[in-house]
């Protein structure tokens, strides 16, 4: 297996967080779960409702998160802690609808805390936006030399992301994908449900291409400047 089971990780983490919370200083804790990576190993005591291992492991992971949060609610630090549930990547779900399936980069982001008003952000966003958004929620000012935006104050018009062989630029109506191994571009329209439909190059997709490559070049420049 990649690592320890999720329930073991959470059981181990809770007393560690309790010990850290005894300090008057704010702290940041990260728990990286791994059970939903193959090989899927589910403890004997957990009895899933579904038969497919792909959904069984999701049931188990969901159960472990819920169990941890239930235990956390009984701790004194819960009422003033901001929780973030975030995936590092997606996986293929359903049919492959594009050169790079959207589901690989379509991940959940849940931010909650007692006192934070419920809401739903339905726009575009990426992992680099998490930090500015969190600091905005906490009312903390900061200097930031990066690509992230506070999504609750400045919703994104477009995003870029990459895989091992693709560079992607997209907004709410179009998507541009470049495959560097094949040296070939793919253009898609995005419909109201978020589905992709293959289309022809246009001024719009050209602008997404320019945006994606300029951001990749900027990232490379910033990386080399730090070395």
């Amino acid at each position: 297996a990649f690592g320890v089971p999720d329930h073991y990780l959470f059981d181990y983490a809770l007393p560690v967080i309790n010990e850290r919370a005894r300090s008057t200083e704010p702290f940041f804790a990260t728990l990286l779960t791994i059970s939903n990576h193959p090989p899927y190993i589910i403890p004997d005591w957990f009895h899933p409702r579904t038969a497919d291992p792909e959904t069984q492991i999701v049931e188990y992971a969901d159960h472990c998160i819920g169990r941890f949060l239930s235990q956390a609610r009984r701790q004194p630090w819960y009422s003033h802690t901001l929780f973030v549930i975030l995936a590092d990547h997606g996986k293929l779900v359903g049919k492959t609808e594009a050169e790079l399936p959207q589901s690989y980069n379509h991940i959940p982001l849940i931010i909650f805390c007692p006192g934070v008003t419920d809401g739903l952000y339905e726009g575009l966003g990426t992992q680099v936006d998490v930090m500015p958004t969190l600091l905005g929620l906490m009312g903390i000012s900061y200097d930031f030399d990066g690509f992230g935006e506070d999504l609750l104050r400045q919703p994104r018009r477009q995003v870029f992301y990459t895989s091992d062989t693709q560079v992607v630029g997209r907004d709410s109506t179009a998507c541009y994908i470049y495959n560097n191994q094949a040296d070939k571009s793919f253009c898609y329209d995005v419909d109201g449900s978020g589905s992709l439909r293959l289309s022809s190059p246009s001024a719009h997709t050209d602008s997404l291409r320019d945006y994606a490559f300029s951001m990749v070049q900027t990232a490379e420049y910033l990386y080399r400047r730090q070395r």
Side-chain angles (χ1 to χ4, degrees):
F2 262 14
V4 300
D6 289 0
H7 74 276
Y8 181 92
L9 172 68
F10 287 124
D11 287 347
Y12 175 87
L14 190 63
V16 174
I17 294 174
N18 285 337
E19 178 64 28
R20 186 65 182 85
R22 292 192 176 96
S23 168
T24 58
E25 294 295 323
F27 67 93
F28 178 83
T30 301
L31 305 181
L32 180 61
T33 62
I34 204 70
S35 289
N36 59 352
H37 287 70
Y40 302 141
I41 299 176
I42 297 176
D44 294 337
W45 55 262
F46 183 76
H47 303 291
R49 300 177 182 178
T50 58
D52 184 355
E54 293 280 344
T55 55
Q56 288 181 345
I57 201 66
V58 173
E59 287 188 65
Y60 168 67
D62 184 66
H63 169 83
C64 293
I65 294 173
R67 179 170 170 266
F68 171 76
L69 292 175
S70 178
Q71 294 171 336
R73 286 189 184 96
R74 298 193 288 268
Q75 313 306 320
W77 46 265
Y78 178 83
S79 61
H80 49 87
T81 297
L82 194 62
F83 292 87
V84 181
I85 299 177
L86 173 70
D88 58 337
H89 61 80
K91 60 176 294 182
L92 180 61
V93 177
K95 296 180 180 179
T96 300
E97 85 283 34
E99 175 68 15
L100 178 62
Q102 292 189 97
S103 58
Y104 285 168
N105 294 85
H106 188 193
I107 60 174
L109 169 60
I110 303 173
I111 302 173
F112 66 97
C113 174
V116 173
T117 304
D118 291 347
L120 177 64
Y121 175 79
E122 297 186 275
L124 296 168
T126 68
Q127 289 163 332
V128 297
D129 300 319
V130 175
M131 188 200 80
T133 303
L134 287 176
L135 292 177
L137 278 170
M138 292 186 287
I140 298 176
S141 61
Y142 56 93
D143 293 323
F144 182 52
D145 184 16
F147 296 150
E149 298 178 0
D150 183 344
L151 296 176
L152 300 181
R153 299 187 183 188
Q154 188 177 354
R156 274 193 174 275
R157 294 187 302 105
Q158 53 195 8
V159 296
F160 84 101
Y161 49 92
T162 65
S163 71
D164 292 339
T165 58
Q166 285 112 351
V167 177
V168 183
R170 69 160 293 172
D171 60 16
S172 60
T173 62
C175 178
Y176 169 84
I177 301 176
Y178 173 71
N179 185 311
N180 67 306
Q181 284 188 336
D183 190 22
K184 187 175 181 180
S185 297
F186 302 84
C187 300
Y188 299 88
D189 291 328
V190 182
D191 65 21
S193 66
S195 298
L196 300 184
R197 185 178 68 255
L198 192 64
S199 64
S200 300
S202 65
H204 189 175
T205 54
D206 286 348
S207 69
L208 290 173
R209 176 200 61 201
D210 294 345
Y211 162 73
F213 279 109
S214 67
M215 297 303 286
V216 170
Q217 288 175 334
T218 302
E220 182 178 13
Y221 166 76
L222 292 173
Y223 170 74
R224 292 183 181 278
R225 190 181 67 175
Q226 296 297 323
R227 294 179 66 183

